[in-house]
Amino acid sequence: MNEVRAVIFDAYGTLLKIQGGRHPYRRLLRLGQANGRRPRPDDAHILMQEPLTLTQAADRLGIRATQGELADLEQLLADEVAEIEPYDDGLEAVALLQREGIRVGVCSNLAYPYRDAILMHYPTLDAYAFSCELGVIKPDAGIYNATCELLGALPDLTLMIGDSRRCDRDGPREMGIKGYFLDRSEGSGDYRELVSFAQDVCETRPR
């Protein structure tokens, strides 16, 4: 971890947790299927690569729904986003890194409305790289490059951690970013929580 200048966190499952799991977008796709629309392989990519509200997503995907059905789904989504909570160790890890002068960013695959919870609970990050705004999703190299550019950091002086081996460890490593896998449940990853990760970053950083 020598010469670390920046750290990138994944968002959901890493810095934030969704309570209950109402799955409004999954319900939207099911509604489309119930009304005769066949699921398409790129549905998830469209939802995560374009800055769409849920109602706009329904139109973009060609899903027929009544105004009442869309209003119900929009409320479901709003309730879910409002109940999203930060992990305590995420807040502590970010604060620790920032106190040490390390630039901190977030890189996340998500549908546009889920940005709000990240911006609310982590308002002081140095960079926010969202797939729905950048038009590219992890583990595509473009999103890691964009995140480093937003941070003003070189990949080989940057670390990343998140709860996906493919997207938060292996993908970054292919770009020269030191990636680490967070496994909160089984503990089979590089870290089980984020404070230890942040402490390791700070302890090995040159003074």
Side-chain angles (χ1 to χ4, degrees):
M1 293 187 184
N2 289 342
E3 300 293 337
V4 172
R5 294 290 179 269
V7 170
I8 303 169
F9 289 94
D10 169 52
Y12 290 99
T14 302
L15 292 179
L16 296 156
K17 51 188 171 183
I18 296 178
Q19 309 292 332
R22 294 176 172 84
H23 306 294
Y25 283 94
R26 187 180 301 175
R27 295 190 185 204
L28 176 66
L29 293 172
R30 287 177 179 168
L31 178 61
Q33 194 170 2
N35 290 333
R37 179 189 181 273
R38 292 184 178 180
R40 300 169 188 165
D42 63 343
D43 283 345
H45 280 205
I46 290 173
L47 293 174
M48 290 190 293
Q49 284 183 286
E50 299 183 23
L52 305 168
T53 66
L54 186 143
T55 297
Q56 290 169 337
D59 183 64
R60 174 71 174 82
L61 296 175
I63 294 175
R64 292 183 289 110
T66 67
Q67 289 186 347
E69 289 171 330
L70 289 174
D72 288 344
L73 288 175
E74 289 280 14
Q75 187 60 56
L76 195 71
L77 173 61
D79 291 343
E80 179 164 89
V81 171
E83 292 178 8
I84 289 170
E85 294 183 355
Y87 283 104
D88 290 338
D89 63 301
L91 294 171
E92 186 175 348
V94 168
L96 175 58
L97 293 168
Q98 290 183 323
R99 284 197 301 270
E100 291 294 313
I102 296 171
R103 296 181 67 78
V104 179
V106 62
C107 177
S108 180
N109 291 344
L110 44 64
Y112 189 73
Y114 289 93
R115 298 160 53 261
D116 292 347
I118 301 171
L119 297 171
M120 179 175 67
H121 292 296
Y122 293 91
T124 65
L125 301 186
D126 298 290
Y128 299 88
F130 302 133
S131 62
C132 58
E133 293 180 330
L134 296 172
V136 61
I137 66 174
K138 299 185 290 186
D140 189 289
I143 197 166
Y144 306 118
N145 281 331
T147 309
C148 286
E149 289 178 5
L150 290 169
L151 281 169
L154 295 173
D156 60 350
L157 299 181
T158 302
L159 278 61
M160 181 166 183
I161 187 167
D163 66 335
S164 167
R165 290 183 177 88
R166 181 168 177 255
C167 292
D168 304 319
R169 184 189 66 183
D170 301 342
R173 287 182 180 181
E174 291 180 6
M175 296 301 302
I177 298 169
K178 300 174 184 68
Y180 296 88
F181 172 52
L182 173 71
D183 186 351
R184 292 185 175 279
S185 57
E186 299 180 3
S188 60
D190 301 302
Y191 289 92
R192 193 164 188 170
E193 45 78 30
L194 295 175
V195 175
S196 296
F197 167 76
Q199 289 172 338
D200 285 349
V201 173
C202 295
E203 288 173 3
T204 57
R205 184 171 183 252
R207 303 292 177 177

